[in-house]
Amino acid sequence: MPIPEFVAAVRAQVGTAPLWLPGVTAVVHDDAGRLLLGQRADNGLWALVSGILEPGEEPARGLVREVLEETGVEVEVQALAAVSTTPEVVYPNGDRSSYLDLCFLARPVSAASAAAAHVADDESVAVAWFAPDALPDDVAPSSRRRLAAAERYRADPGAGTVFAR
């Protein structure tokens, strides 16, 4: 997957030193309750749509951009479901990063937008809608954790966004 230009510019200065980066994840349900997943090109696992925010980008707008760029589906953000961090990730080239993840609930803006789901960039090899009780076996562990947090939020929105306390 391509490294965002701003991350490449920072990497040119700091090498492989750990970076703290803001990211977003989309839990997108269509009107039938199906969940949007992409099968990642780098490891073959199915995952929620996610990505790194650009400098100064509003998180919800970044989420809308990421979902459109990766799946061709235009979404509207409904709520911030969970806030979490990742352990350090070490990439094959030695780069190290940790992420602050903002997990949002979203929905397609229309049935036509949901039907337009397709592989829209080189980060995925497949994009599909799945019933929540019929997810593929090979869903990324990080996506399973975020889905569980999003479901906790959906079960009781009045309790607020899910985060470590």
Side-chain angles (χ1 to χ4, degrees):
M1 284 174 231
I3 297 172
E5 288 181 27
F6 76 92
V7 174
V10 171
R11 285 283 178 215
Q13 301 298 313
V14 302
T16 61
L19 292 181
W20 176 249
L21 297 168
V24 290
T25 296
V27 177
V28 182
H29 286 94
D30 68 4
D31 289 341
R34 298 177 305 166
L35 184 67
L36 181 63
L37 298 176
Q39 188 176 26
R40 295 177 54 99
D42 61 349
N43 61 20
L45 297 177
W46 287 91
L48 296 167
V49 176
S50 62
I52 298 171
L53 293 172
E54 295 174 2
E57 186 173 35
E58 290 290 336
R61 290 180 183 155
L63 180 88
V64 169
R65 174 187 54 77
E66 285 288 345
V67 175
L68 186 61
E69 285 178 359
E70 294 184 24
T71 70
V73 177
E74 186 178 354
V75 298
E76 61 186 13
V77 174
Q78 298 174 299
L80 176 62
V83 176
S84 63
T85 61
T86 68
E88 184 175 82
V89 177
V90 180
Y91 294 95
N93 66 356
D95 288 352
R96 296 175 291 151
S97 299
S98 296
Y99 298 90
L100 169 67
D101 184 73
L102 305 174
C103 182
F104 289 94
L105 299 180
R107 62 179 304 281
V109 297
S110 66
S113 181
H118 66 281
V119 174
D121 66 10
D122 62 355
E123 293 186 39
S124 300
V125 295
V127 170
W129 293 97
F130 294 92
D133 60 351
L135 297 180
D137 291 333
D138 54 347
V139 172
S142 60
S143 287
R144 289 200 183 273
R145 286 189 299 275
R146 291 173 184 146
L147 274 171
E151 287 307 311
R152 283 196 344 243
Y153 175 85
R154 287 180 67 194
D156 186 9
T161 301
V162 176
F163 57 90
R165 299 176 192 266

